[in-house]
Amino acid sequence: MSFGKPYIMGIDGCIHDGWLLIRDKEKNFDLKFLCILLGTDNMLNQYKSRAAGSTVNNLNKELVSGTTISYPSMKEQIRIGQYFDNLDNLITLHQRK
């Protein structure tokens, strides 16, 4: 996959080979928080340093699994995720005006 903005897919189905599926099997993350975290400059810099390819930088599960992250408690993750979700909604409302 080439990298860009992470998304939470709220559907059941299959994914194209241009996508990378990340599951939180151990339930360590609030999904909204994880989505924000995966799109931070820190994570994007880690992706760039591991990416392969000369024209289009590509990632795979082995490269992504080598990244390191720090994260707060679940309670804090939920609050941070809600904050950014509210902020995104507010930005959308202002853009519509």
Side-chain angles (χ1 to χ4, degrees):
M1 72 173 244
S2 56
F3 45 95
K5 183 176 179 180
Y7 291 94
I8 298 172
M9 302 300 289
I11 60 170
D12 290 327
C14 300
I15 59 172
H16 186 270
D17 64 354
W19 291 81
L20 182 63
L21 174 65
I22 298 174
R23 290 191 178 142
D24 180 21
K25 292 181 180 181
E26 296 176 14
K27 307 293 184 204
N28 290 321
F29 297 98
D30 172 70
L31 288 181
K32 289 179 185 176
F33 174 82
L34 181 59
C35 192
I36 293 163
L37 177 68
L38 294 175
T40 61
D41 287 343
N42 178 26
M43 294 306 297
L44 292 174
N45 289 335
Q46 288 189 66
Y47 302 151
K48 288 176 186 175
S49 71
R50 290 173 168 72
S54 56
T55 305
V56 176
N57 290 330
N58 290 299
L59 295 171
N60 60 38
K61 67 179 183 176
E62 286 78 24
L63 295 172
V64 172
S65 68
T67 59
T68 57
I69 58 171
S70 298
Y71 56 94
S73 70
M74 181 62 76
K75 183 178 178 180
E76 290 176 283
Q77 290 179 43
I78 291 168
R79 291 181 76 186
I80 293 168
Q82 289 172 342
Y83 173 82
F84 280 102
D85 196 34
N86 291 338
L87 185 60
D88 284 342
N89 290 335
L90 184 60
I91 290 169
T92 300
L93 288 173
H94 283 285
Q95 286 175 339
R96 289 181 184 164
K97 286 186 176 182

